[in-house]
Amino acid sequence: MSDMFIFMAQVYRELQPFVAHPEGGGHGVLEMPSGTGKTISLLSLIVAYQRAFPLEVTKLIYCSRTVPEIEKVVEELRKLMEFYSKQTRESNNFLALALSSRRNLCIHPEVSSLRFGKEVDGKCHSLTASYIRAQHHSNPSFPVCQFYEEFDAVGRQVPLPAGIYNLDDLKDFGRRKGWCPYYLARYSILHANIVVYSYHYLLDPKIADLVSKELAKKSVVVFDEAHNIDNVCIDSMSVNITRRTLDHCQNNVDTLHNTIHKIKETDAAKLKEEYRRLVEGLKEANVARETDVYLSNPVLPDEILQEAVPGTIRTAEHFVGFLRRFLEYLKSRLRVQHVIQESAPQFLKDIYDKVCIDRKPLRFCAERLQSLLRTLEITDIADFSAATLISNFATLVSTYSQGFTIIIEPFEDRTPTIANPVLHFSCMDPSIAIKPVFQRFQSVIITSGTLSPLDIYPRILDFHPVTMASFTMTLARTCLCPLIVGRGNDQVALSSKFETREDFAVIRNYGNLLMEMSAIVPDGIVAFFTSYVYMENIVASWYEQGILENIQRNKLIFIETQDAAETSMALEKYQEACENGRGAILLSVARGKVSEGIDFVHHFGRAVIMFGVPYVYTQSRILKARLEYLRDQFQIRENDFLTFDAMRHAAQCVGRAIRGKTDYGLMIFADKRYARADKRGKLPRWIQEHITDGSLNLTVDEAVQLSKHFLRQMAQPFRQEDQLGLSLLTLEQLESEEMLQKIAQVAHQT
Amino acid sequence: MASLSEEVLLVVKKVRQRKQDGTLYLMAERIAWGPEGKDRFTVSHLYADIRCQKISPDGKAKVQLQLVLHSGESTTFHFANESTALKDREAAKELLQQLLPKFKKKANKELEEKNRMLQEDPVLFQLYKDLVVSQVISAEEFWANRLGGVTNTDPAQYKYKQEVGISGAFLADIRPQTDGCNGLRYNLTADIIESIFRTYPAVKQKYNENVPHNLTEKEFWTRFFQSHYFHRDRINTGTQDIFSECAKQDEKGLKSMVVQGVKNPLVDLLSLEDKTLDEGYGVCGAQPSTSNSNRTVKESSNYAIIKRFNHHSAMVLAAGSRKGETPTDQASETSSTDGNSRDSDFFQPPVKKVKLQEEYEDLQQENRPKTVPLNLKKSDRYAHGPVPLQSQQYTTSQDIINSVNYIQHEMANYKPNLTQVLSSTVATSAISALSPGGVLMQAGAQQAINQMVPSEVQGELKHLYVAAGELLRHFWSCFPVNTPFLEEKVIKMKSNLERFQLTKLRPFQEKIQRQYLSTNVILLFSQWLRDWCW
């Protein structure tokens, strides 16, 4: 509780200049352990601002990572609003809503029964695209989505009534009115006071262009759970091209060619009309922008939109020919025997030399393809994903001369005999994708439970924060117990580093640690490994040595696999086993899906064991290129970045277990390297401050002793009174002079 | 006798019974045999009455099938058709094998219920022994009251009994031992076999199919341990192994579980991400491919281990919760499939609603019942293992409080009655009599009765007491006597009581009197009995 006010004081400091000088603005990086009220403090403070200065802060854009997290934020917001209306005794006219993909919002009986997001999008498009609806106009038996029709007819005139709309509320509302909730939400975010959605909607240019383009400038943007935000940025700008992609694309081009021929015979006027439009420039072509997913386009520089499409690709046939040439060129590039790495300008020069493709038409490639697809009235966009990918690549490679690298690998490193050429066009600079966000919005707050070391984020994302702070938890009892186990009982040093990775002594000692823990920790234990391969090997040798069998005496074992559906099932069974008292162990992988999205509250995770330091696979060329880029551009040393990356993942993993102040859990770092200052210093402050000098290099037995002691203490009843005045404040306590001083003081320090 | 409406499942001709030719009929609810040329069955057994069937070994000249009844009787059929005798017998056996288990459950249900009650409740068992076995009252009378009560109250009560789960490591408990000559010995206990069957129904099915006619039990288990199925890291290659089918079934089960998806949306990794990157985008496109073709042998064996561990744990978990919950489980399963189809979104699974609203219990108003916190003076002592207990007689705090209260009460009401004191001479003699060596202080006189009587006699007395109580309960439950039936029962109960006194109390009393002349416990007891009855 007291943490929340310190935290709020900090956010306040950040927002203050914003009100004082509306042009000033301020970005911030804030780290605060989860379960301490990060979300609600941010929400309540920003909402208070919105109420006080409705003209300065018009909108709050709250971005989170997963769908459940988005929904949780909206529920918190609902509580806040209920509190407001209870205190002020008047209903406020706030409109807040969550936005998600069609898959989560569609209510069309047929479309919504599809399981995968892509299918839903494709099907929805085939019912709502502008030309489909035009056809429906002339021929009413042509199927369209009645929800969209209804929304289009009346939904826009009446704004969504004020209130808090979670995904389900939107669906309910949509059903009642017969409107499409997805388009209703997309339309309503323009005038909503608070929007909650996934950060892809803001960071991925392909989606952002569609959804978030017109959001007001005077918005406050919050990125919650943002510890991986740089990877999200990079992912959304990178492209991989394999032979399969090219083959698909070849088919697409052939289809285009045939369709053009057919249309030419029947309806040549249509193509002429398109040509005319293209001469006039792309701006004109945006009539059907909203419903057509086509406009997805990697960051389009503004000048492109002003210009006309170059003459070489203006007619449909010429463009198809152009695509063919480009495709052939890519094919020839994929026929390499050795690894090639080059920059974007090198690539452009090569393509000009070999097939005489200029830079300018390449830049228009993506737009031109979308326009053509629209003209040809192709319904199934999912089919054309390969062609879209290639054209996006063309646009990206010709637009950015910096921050990207092209790597062509003829085969996978592990299987040098099997030819599987891949062209990686990978973004190395996360700031490219996030730059528009920082530029457009005046206040951007990046926050998470694990953001340490804080200073690296402004550097890699290239912005200047007003505040940077890492908060700790004020605890009535030490509810977390980080232990660094560096040795086995036989004094063998424990480490997952490459040299000792296959060492039986290490593997056995790791097994021993898990076994001992399984005997003393109640309910659930989650163990993280550094990679799938490592986990599989360890599990196999534990099986051979009979360690797993012994662990099974104490708890059931569930193991994450690379198949998400299988893992979901294992996860559910794991929770069931924790729930019914049997207790279970989940073996999982850092950087895996579980480590990123699943919380292990209370008895679902009483102990987290991190086997080894989760370094990223350093031999990958893409990573090497990125490290090089970071060194040259941002002066970040390779090792610093790698350690930072490993430690944030480790912190992310162990942080899964503590989800609040009443929660408790062991955090066991099983690698002697964690004891070093450079590793330890990169852990979040709230974990670091509980690592005592005595727990830096424990043996398995010592760790077991400490754990036993800790668990027994934690198992005592823990009541509200114990927390009052320390981590929980009553209103009187809060208003007391002393506490206010304390908060001001602490807030000032950080 | 032969009701025509019965469905006849199998007719086998030329079956001899007691040297008489005839025809064997297997019907829906019973098995019957009628001599040739006659229109009635001389042998007819309900399947429910049959305990088991036995068959003659294959090598024997006579091809026979024996039915053993619950009553202990047995009937033997001799299949006499030379050419097809063996086949006939197999057919009959197969059919019986399918039918018997169904009826067994039905028939034995009541018996099992009684048995269970007796096993669970030692007092009741003793009572049963005292009253029924010694034929004081009949078994029906004994049960009439009890069983009705149980079945009427709540069938769920019976299910409330906790199933013992399965140890996750039951396979680990089968430690192979080398037998000295290049072989391994596995020790299987009934518990382990039970665990294996409950966890892997497929193995049980195989067992039922193959034992005893294809394989002996020993052979079956030998093969089980040799199979890849037991050794999870071996990859399924051969098809001649009888367990390869089990593995396939498991695989199928696992797959169906996966396809079914999960009920809790918060752990569904597939729907966690709001917007996944399209194919071809992203940095890590060149992830190590997961397809099986690219895997090395070692990798796929590792993968198999992981998969089977997941499966094993899931099965163990399911086996623990399977019994008693099956109907609800099915219901929830069907609803879960509904839950996955997206149009059932009208009804969000409640679990989601609950979990979305994160509750911080420390921020809630406290309205739980107050509990007494453990107040540790020395928490170290608590944390560092138990202190050896001193052997002491503990009295519960309630007792202490009661006695303190009582004493206080006594003290408060104590009034010395000085007018009625003894004269000094009498008092002196009383004191001398009470002093050691006095008349009243003779050895033995002060011994408590419970020290005097050996514990078995005490036990017997207790049993008698309980039994008498039970009889009296029966007796008094007849009042008020307002129906002829009750009247009859009262009379019967009275005679029962008398018999009880005759057969049980009297001998006991005599025994006691023979051994412990000084006691008059039993007198008190029979007096008490008499008081109660009349």
Side-chain angles (χ1 to χ4, degrees):
Chain A
M1 200 74 151
S2 53
D3 302 329
M4 277 171 60
F5 290 102
I6 298 168
F7 181 74
M8 282 162 98
Q10 204 70 31
V11 182
Y12 176 75
R13 209 164 76 181
E14 176 174 335
L15 290 171
Q16 220 172 9
F18 186 65
V19 176
H21 333 273
E23 293 306 308
H27 307 313
V29 182
L30 301 170
E31 179 186 63
M32 187 179 188
S34 38
T36 46
K38 192 171 43 198
T39 306
I40 193 71
S41 347
L42 276 171
L43 285 175
S44 46
L45 198 60
I46 296 171
V47 166
Y49 253 101
Q50 272 183 293
R51 289 170 62 91
F53 307 97
L55 295 177
E56 312 304 331
V57 184
T58 50
K59 197 189 286 288
L60 163 63
I61 304 172
Y62 199 102
C63 304
S64 195
R65 191 175 42 172
T66 63
V67 180
E69 275 160 5
I70 289 170
E71 291 188 280
K72 271 182 200 162
V73 173
V74 180
E75 291 308 318
E76 298 256 346
L77 190 60
R78 196 192 302 279
K79 273 187 207 154
L80 178 68
M81 288 303 170
E82 272 163 17
F83 182 72
Y84 258 114
S85 46
K86 215 167 86 188
Q87 293 292 313
T88 58
R89 285 165 208 276
E90 60 190 45
S91 60
N92 46 38
N93 49 355
F94 254 65
L95 174 62
L97 60 103
L99 174 63
S100 180
S101 58
R102 289 184 178 86
R103 196 177 97 95
N104 295 321
L105 279 175
C106 185
I107 54 170
H108 189 279
E110 214 175 295
V111 181
S112 60
S113 64
L114 295 169
R115 217 175 150 183
F116 295 100
K118 222 191 240 174
E119 295 168 356
V120 177
D121 289 352
K123 186 86 184 161
C124 178
H125 179 257
S126 72
L127 291 175
T128 55
S130 52
Y131 48 84
I132 300 272
R133 297 177 54 218
Q135 269 174 9
H136 173 74
H137 231 63
S138 52
N139 175 11
S141 69
F142 217 81
V144 289
C145 173
Q146 75 274 18
F147 294 105
Y148 181 73
E149 294 300 320
E150 193 68 21
F151 166 70
D152 200 44
V154 287
R156 279 179 231 272
Q157 279 95 34
V158 200
L160 195 62
I164 314 292
Y165 295 90
N166 212 336
L167 298 179
D168 295 331
D169 305 321
L170 281 170
K171 279 203 232 178
D172 281 347
F173 186 79
R175 280 203 194 89
R176 267 205 313 275
K177 295 269 185 182
W179 298 348
C180 171
Y182 175 71
Y183 283 104
L184 176 68
R186 258 179 65 180
Y187 174 72
S188 301
I189 59 170
L190 297 179
H191 60 262
N193 301 88
I194 298 171
V195 180
V196 186
Y197 58 27
S198 153
Y199 39 57
H200 289 107
Y201 284 78
L202 216 49
L203 293 181
D204 190 338
K206 300 188 281 302
I207 317 170
D209 193 42
L210 220 64
V211 179
S212 314
K213 211 177 164 199
E214 292 164 49
L215 292 182
K217 202 168 156 47
K218 285 180 179 172
S219 304
V220 175
V221 178
V222 177
F223 288 106
D224 200 354
E225 306 287 334
H227 42 270
N228 268 340
I229 197 165
D230 53 326
N231 290 334
V232 175
C233 294
I234 281 177
D235 273 344
S236 64
M237 299 290 276
S238 300
V239 175
N240 301 295
I241 296 171
T242 60
R243 264 209 191 129
R244 234 179 87 228
T245 329
L246 293 181
D247 290 345
H248 278 290
C249 187
Q250 183 73 52
N251 290 340
N252 291 348
V253 172
D254 290 344
T255 322
L256 283 178
H257 184 73
N258 294 339
T259 329
I260 290 171
H261 256 283
K262 251 186 262 164
I263 288 197
K264 222 173 182 180
E265 284 158 14
T266 55
D267 193 5
K270 206 184 237 172
L271 288 175
K272 284 218 184 83
E273 159 66 17
E274 191 206 16
Y275 185 85
R276 192 191 58 74
R277 246 186 6 229
L278 293 176
V279 176
E280 283 170 14
L282 287 169
K283 277 282 182 195
E284 293 292 308
N286 289 349
V287 187
R289 159 157 239 162
E290 190 190 34
T291 53
D292 296 319
V293 198
Y294 292 130
L295 266 174
S296 54
N297 193 353
V299 185
L300 261 188
D302 282 342
E303 63 265 30
I304 286 193
L305 288 172
Q306 314 305 331
E307 287 176 54
V309 174
T312 44
I313 56 171
R314 217 175 282 161
T315 65
E317 292 106 321
H318 287 173
F319 179 61
V320 170
F322 172 86
L323 269 186
R324 277 233 166 99
R325 240 179 324 145
F326 185 56
L327 206 56
E328 286 308 319
Y329 171 74
L330 287 179
K331 276 186 188 162
S332 77
R333 293 303 305 264
L334 279 189
R335 253 176 253 130
V336 288
Q337 295 302 316
H338 56 276
V339 179
I340 291 172
Q341 181 173 359
E342 61 186 21
S343 65
Q346 273 173 316
F347 181 85
L348 288 176
K349 184 172 183 311
D350 192 55
I351 195 171
Y352 183 73
D353 289 346
K354 293 234 172 80
V355 288
C356 293
I357 287 180
D358 224 349
R359 186 174 166 215
K360 198 171 173 199
L362 274 180
R363 289 175 80 175
F364 283 90
C365 205
E367 273 304 310
R368 182 64 189 91
L369 179 70
Q370 304 318 330
S371 163
L372 183 65
L373 289 177
R374 211 159 38 225
T375 315
L376 299 182
E377 303 186 346
I378 285 166
T379 33
D380 202 352
I381 43 156
D383 267 4
F384 278 84
S385 60
T388 317
L389 182 75
I390 298 288
S391 64
N392 280 344
F393 165 64
T395 304
L396 278 174
V397 79
S398 51
T399 307
Y400 295 101
S401 54
Q402 264 215 330
F404 287 85
T405 188
I406 294 167
I407 295 170
I408 306 172
E409 286 177 321
F411 45 72
E412 272 178 44
D413 278 343
R414 298 186 316 141
T415 52
T417 47
I418 305 164
N420 179 24
V422 187
L423 185 150
H424 301 284
F425 176 68
S426 71
C427 174
M428 296 181 298
D429 190 350
S431 67
I432 292 175
I434 206 171
K435 194 180 233 154
V437 179
F438 282 125
Q439 276 175 353
R440 181 169 175 84
F441 303 110
Q442 298 196 26
S443 199
V444 178
I445 300 169
I446 291 178
T447 177
S448 171
T450 49
L451 274 180
S452 294
L454 291 175
D455 56 329
I456 208 158
Y457 284 90
R459 278 161 84 189
I460 56 176
L461 297 177
D462 195 21
F463 71 103
H464 300 286
V466 180
T467 44
M468 270 207 297
S470 173
F471 303 94
T472 69
M473 286 199 265
T474 313
L475 293 170
R477 55 170 190 176
T478 326
C479 71
L480 65 166
C481 176
L483 302 171
I484 297 173
V485 181
R487 293 168 293 154
N489 287 340
D490 46 5
Q491 302 301 321
V492 171
L494 291 183
S495 174
S496 70
K497 68 178 177 209
F498 190 72
E499 296 80 42
T500 61
R501 192 161 268 210
E502 306 283 316
D503 191 346
F504 270 109
V506 174
I507 294 178
R508 191 188 60 237
N509 274 312
Y510 272 160
N512 218 1
L513 173 65
L514 186 61
M515 194 163 75
E516 300 273 346
M517 284 299 159
S518 73
I520 59 159
V521 177
D523 300 321
I525 299 180
V526 191
F528 289 98
F529 294 84
T530 53
S531 71
Y532 280 109
V533 182
Y534 187 51
M535 179 174 76
E536 284 179 9
N537 284 337
I538 284 201
V539 166
S541 46
W542 281 354
Y543 172 71
E544 277 159 24
Q545 297 173 10
I547 293 174
L548 281 185
E549 289 181 339
N550 286 325
I551 293 173
Q552 275 183 322
R553 281 178 214 281
N554 302 323
K555 288 182 194 304
L556 292 176
I557 298 176
F558 294 96
I559 306 172
E560 179 182 0
T561 66
Q562 300 196 28
D563 177 357
E566 228 172 276
T567 309
S568 306
M569 194 213 57
L571 204 58
E572 193 182 45
K573 297 279 175 202
Y574 167 81
Q575 293 202 341
E576 193 184 326
C578 292
E579 201 73 76
N580 74 10
R582 202 179 238 287
I585 293 178
L586 184 71
L587 303 183
S588 180
V589 170
R591 296 165 195 281
K593 280 224 162 75
V594 171
S595 72
E596 309 248 303
I598 305 292
D599 289 344
F600 297 98
V601 282
H602 295 292
H603 60 288
F604 292 134
R606 283 300 181 214
V608 181
I609 306 176
M610 183 72 235
F611 289 114
V613 184
Y615 278 112
V616 67
Y617 175 61
T618 46
Q619 297 308 303
S620 131
R621 290 190 184 81
I622 301 173
L623 181 74
K624 279 184 180 158
R626 187 174 171 201
L627 290 176
E628 223 165 85
Y629 184 82
L630 285 174
R631 194 188 54 209
D632 296 347
Q633 295 294 317
F634 301 122
Q635 285 78 49
I636 298 170
R637 278 183 302 160
E638 284 103 327
N639 252 336
D640 279 350
F641 182 78
L642 287 175
T643 312
F644 150 75
D645 186 60
M647 292 315 286
R648 74 169 157 181
H649 278 103
Q652 191 55 29
C653 291
V654 295
R656 300 275 111 199
I658 305 273
R659 275 0 232 179
K661 289 183 180 181
T662 51
D663 204 352
Y664 65 90
L666 285 161
M667 300 175 166
I668 297 170
F669 298 93
D671 193 310
K672 70 165 199 257
R673 288 175 289 173
Y674 283 111
R676 290 190 207 149
D678 66 319
K679 307 278 186 307
R680 213 170 6 124
K682 290 194 167 69
L683 285 172
R685 217 179 109 196
W686 58 276
I687 297 180
Q688 233 184 91
E689 67 182 8
H690 289 109
I691 303 181
T692 56
D693 285 341
S695 58
L696 282 184
N697 189 17
L698 303 167
T699 65
V700 172
D701 271 352
E702 286 161 354
V704 167
Q705 285 313 314
L706 286 173
S707 308
K708 272 186 186 165
H709 189 76
F710 170 76
L711 289 168
R712 287 218 182 96
Q713 278 185 336
M714 286 300 116
Q716 303 313 311
F718 185 55
R719 287 159 309 139
Q720 209 174 30
E721 296 91 84
D722 301 334
Q723 292 197 56
L724 271 183
L726 283 165
S727 56
L728 209 61
L729 301 178
T730 59
L731 189 60
E732 296 82 61
Q733 282 171 327
L734 176 65
E735 283 168 346
S736 72
E737 196 62 30
E738 190 189 355
M739 189 51 80
L740 289 176
Q741 257 172 16
K742 196 175 150 196
I743 289 173
Q745 192 189 353
V746 178
H748 210 70
Q749 280 170 1
T750 46
Chain B
M1 189 172 170
S3 52
L4 287 171
S5 59
E6 267 183 285
E7 188 192 356
V8 178
L9 300 173
L10 182 73
V11 180
V12 187
K13 293 218 167 119
K14 294 215 175 158
V15 178
R16 298 181 127 204
Q17 207 259 327
R18 295 204 179 152
K19 308 234 161 98
Q20 210 176 358
D21 273 329
T23 311
L24 184 70
Y25 297 87
L26 270 82
M27 285 168 292
E29 294 199 346
R30 59 194 181 122
I31 184 168
W33 179 86
E36 209 152 316
K38 280 183 188 156
D39 201 18
R40 57 183 189 82
F41 299 132
T42 50
V43 179
S44 166
H45 298 304
L46 289 174
Y47 291 133
D49 293 337
I50 299 172
R51 193 166 71 197
C52 65
Q53 58 168 336
K54 289 178 178 171
I55 53 171
S56 56
D58 283 351
K60 273 244 174 122
K62 277 183 177 176
V63 183
Q64 286 178 323
L65 179 94
Q66 188 181 40
L67 299 177
V68 183
L69 305 185
H70 285 302
S71 52
E73 296 166 47
S74 67
T75 316
T76 310
F77 299 108
H78 175 200
F79 293 80
N81 195 338
E82 276 119 42
S83 52
T84 61
L86 214 59
K87 227 171 72 194
D88 287 347
R89 207 254 327 254
E90 286 302 302
K93 191 202 72 181
E94 286 288 323
L95 194 59
L96 276 176
Q97 206 164 42
Q98 289 169 23
L99 289 169
L100 287 184
K102 285 187 216 162
F103 287 93
K104 199 172 256 168
K105 274 178 213 143
K106 213 188 211 169
N108 288 358
K109 194 135 192 204
E110 204 176 277
L111 210 65
E112 265 171 25
E113 171 76 357
K114 288 177 186 170
N115 214 345
R116 186 188 60 78
M117 281 176 71
L118 287 183
Q119 267 172 10
E120 271 176 12
D121 190 349
V123 178
L124 191 71
F125 185 54
Q126 185 61 43
L127 206 60
Y128 185 82
K129 273 206 307 208
D130 285 343
L131 295 180
V132 180
V133 178
S134 58
Q135 298 187 333
V136 175
I137 59 175
S138 71
E140 281 90 41
E141 267 176 328
F142 181 77
W143 286 116
N145 225 310
R146 307 202 160 262
L147 213 53
V150 169
T151 42
N152 283 347
T153 46
D154 194 3
Q157 204 177 3
Y158 154 59
K159 292 196 173 152
Y160 225 70
K161 191 188 153 210
Q162 264 197 325
E163 271 298 322
V164 178
I166 295 174
S167 154
F170 65 83
L171 286 177
D173 291 333
I174 323 166
R175 287 250 155 258
Q177 298 163 334
T178 44
D179 61 356
C181 49
N182 240 351
L184 287 174
R185 277 179 71 92
Y186 288 93
N187 288 325
L188 273 177
T189 64
D191 275 349
I192 294 174
I193 292 177
E194 163 81 11
S195 301
I196 293 175
F197 283 166
R198 273 173 67 187
T199 321
Y200 297 105
V203 176
K204 185 172 189 183
Q205 199 190 336
K206 282 278 158 211
Y207 180 85
N208 286 342
E209 279 170 19
N210 290 316
V211 180
H213 38 284
N214 283 347
L215 301 165
T216 64
E217 189 157 352
K218 195 174 167 192
E219 274 171 355
F220 179 84
W221 290 116
T222 311
R223 287 213 196 168
F224 178 75
F225 289 123
Q226 282 166 349
S227 72
H228 70 274
Y229 192 66
F230 177 65
H231 298 278
R232 304 164 201 216
D233 49 346
R234 291 186 198 163
I235 307 214
N236 174 15
T237 42
T239 45
Q240 67 276 37
D241 189 345
I242 55 168
F243 293 104
S244 57
E245 210 176 299
C246 297
K248 269 181 214 140
Q249 265 184 21
D250 284 354
E251 203 106 310
K252 238 197 296 178
L254 196 64
K255 224 170 247 164
S256 74
M257 272 197 266
V258 168
V259 168
Q260 220 173 44
V262 290
K263 290 168 220 158
N264 183 351
L266 295 187
V267 298
D268 190 354
L269 295 170
L270 289 172
S271 65
L272 217 52
E273 290 279 326
D274 191 21
K275 177 79 191 176
T276 47
L277 290 166
D278 288 333
E279 201 182 345
Y281 297 97
V283 174
C284 35
Q287 255 184 357
S289 54
T290 49
S291 62
N292 282 325
S293 55
N294 280 351
R295 290 175 166 269
T296 60
V297 176
K298 173 133 177 53
E299 276 172 348
S300 50
S301 109
N302 290 352
Y303 183 64
I305 293 177
I306 286 180
K307 236 173 136 168
R308 285 186 196 159
F309 262 104
N310 274 343
H311 183 247
H312 174 80
S313 300
M315 292 306 277
V316 168
L317 196 61
S321 54
R322 193 173 291 148
K323 284 193 184 155
E325 273 179 27
T326 6
T328 51
D329 214 29
Q330 266 168 354
S332 65
E333 246 157 56
T334 46
S335 71
S336 83
T337 44
D338 288 348
N340 283 339
S341 70
R342 322 213 76 249
D343 40 1
S344 74
D345 275 340
F346 286 101
F347 308 101
Q348 276 296 329
V351 57
K352 183 178 172 187
K353 278 265 137 68
V354 173
K355 296 219 169 144
L356 279 180
Q357 298 184 354
E358 270 185 285
E359 297 283 320
Y360 293 101
E361 61 251 53
D362 49 342
L363 298 184
Q364 304 298 314
Q365 287 303 321
E366 219 166 335
N367 47 9
R368 284 168 291 160
K370 279 258 180 203
T371 50
V372 183
L374 178 57
N375 192 5
L376 292 176
K377 288 269 158 48
K378 287 179 187 165
S379 66
D380 275 357
R381 187 186 268 184
Y382 171 74
H384 289 303
V387 182
L389 260 180
Q390 257 86 53
S391 64
Q392 280 176 349
Q393 285 267 324
Y394 287 103
T395 334
T396 62
S397 50
Q398 192 59 44
D399 284 348
I400 293 172
I401 293 168
N402 282 350
S403 38
V404 167
N405 283 343
Y406 182 71
I407 290 171
Q408 268 173 352
H409 181 76
E410 286 283 282
M411 293 310 290
N413 291 341
Y414 177 69
K415 280 199 206 91
N417 197 345
L418 293 173
T419 52
Q420 290 186 357
V421 288
L422 291 172
S423 68
S424 60
T425 44
V426 181
T428 324
S429 71
I431 287 171
S432 68
L434 281 168
S435 324
V439 195
L440 292 172
M441 290 303 280
Q442 254 149 33
Q446 286 295 309
Q447 269 178 341
I449 197 143
N450 62 351
Q451 285 165 336
M452 248 158 47
V453 186
S455 57
E456 57 266 34
V457 178
Q458 281 180 44
E460 204 174 333
L461 179 66
K462 218 182 273 171
H463 289 146
L464 281 174
Y465 179 82
V466 174
E470 173 69 14
L471 281 174
L472 284 173
R473 195 172 66 78
H474 277 278
F475 178 74
W476 286 112
S477 71
C478 302
F479 291 96
V481 190
N482 42 19
T483 62
F485 169 73
L486 279 177
E487 198 179 322
E488 193 185 325
K489 194 172 173 194
V490 168
I491 293 166
K492 206 164 71 204
M493 284 325 293
K494 182 175 175 294
S495 71
N496 276 347
L497 277 170
E498 280 164 1
R499 195 152 28 151
F500 179 73
Q501 195 175 13
L502 208 70
T503 58
K504 289 271 170 181
L505 287 184
R506 200 55 62 67
F508 183 70
Q509 190 177 0
E510 276 158 15
K511 189 171 115 191
I512 297 286
Q513 276 172 346
R514 258 202 318 279
Q515 287 173 0
Y516 315 97
L517 289 167
S518 60
T519 44
N520 48 3
V521 186
I522 207 70
L523 283 176
L524 282 175
F525 187 62
S526 37
Q527 198 150 23
W528 166 81
L529 190 65
R530 214 168 299 131
D531 289 347
W532 262 108
C533 301
W534 289 271

